[in-house]
Amino acid sequence: MQKTIIAVLALAASAGIGYAAGVSGPIPDLSTLNPAAIKVTLPENINWKPAAGLEGTDTYTLFGDAGKPGFYIVLNRFHPGYFSHPHYHANDRYVMVLDGTWWAATGAKDDPENLTVPMKAGTFAIHKGMEVHYDGARAGDKEAIVMIFGNGPGTRHECTGPTAEQGPGPCADARKAAGLP
């Protein structure tokens, strides 16, 4: 069995070398692409800006506007030790972890060091609309970069702090479920 595995791995490696060796001639530059047909954003061209209301977090909009109706895609970069506070969004948001470890928790109990769950690069998650959660990067880890996409508006409704939602709703329900006032 071990000889079979080694033979298969050797065959796969030689096929890869053959493929790479089979590329002939120069490889075209991105500038040869028709900009009417494809828009490319290179990593070095991402102009990170501080995320509104999220200390220690940067953001970049790849497409659309998360604050308006319609499809959007944003990148968020959480610096180590920084988390959002419990909040929710009216609509589902789809999250792909691109780099680092992204830590997330559900509910209104704000305890990132003890309640968040790690999600490594390549993980896909759905933040369900109207459900309270929070997320970020733990201290001691490297930054976490996530791609968030969905249908706007994707505004954040805070459950704590000076702009916290008051009265009945998802925040009050989450506080009650957590045994918080």
Side-chain angles (χ1 to χ4, degrees):
M1 180 65 150
Q2 186 177 12
K3 287 182 182 181
T4 304
I5 293 171
I6 292 171
V8 168
L9 290 173
L11 181 61
S14 65
I17 291 168
Y19 174 77
V23 175
S24 63
I27 296 175
D29 184 77
L30 283 174
S31 64
T32 64
L33 297 173
N34 177 353
I38 187 169
K39 178 187 175 205
V40 176
T41 301
L42 298 172
E44 59 268 21
N45 294 331
I46 294 174
N47 185 16
W48 294 103
K49 300 207 183 293
L54 290 175
E55 182 182 358
T57 306
D58 304 315
T59 191
Y60 179 76
T61 299
L62 288 168
F63 181 82
D65 183 339
K68 296 179 180 176
F71 184 70
Y72 65 88
I73 305 172
V74 297
L75 299 175
N76 277 357
R77 177 173 63 184
F78 293 92
H79 296 279
Y82 289 94
F83 281 81
S84 61
H85 295 287
H87 66 278
Y88 71 92
H89 310 276
N91 302 316
D92 291 355
R93 289 165 50 103
Y94 308 93
V95 183
M96 175 65 79
V97 182
L98 300 179
D99 192 35
T101 301
W102 178 60
W103 295 78
T106 58
K109 191 168 184 184
D110 195 357
D111 186 358
E113 291 303 316
N114 294 301
L115 297 179
T116 55
V117 174
M119 294 183 221
K120 64 182 184 173
T123 302
F124 175 77
I126 302 172
H127 273 162
K128 300 300 284 181
M130 309 300 282
E131 294 294 332
V132 176
H133 61 275
Y134 57 97
D135 44 53
R138 282 196 177 175
D141 279 0
K142 68 181 221 171
E143 64 188 20
I145 299 175
V146 297
M147 178 174 27
I148 304 168
F149 48 103
N151 285 306
T155 50
R156 191 174 60 251
H157 300 269
E158 299 288 342
C159 294
T160 61
T163 61
E165 178 180 271
Q166 303 298 316
C171 292
D173 295 343
R175 283 192 293 273
K176 183 177 178 184
L180 300 171

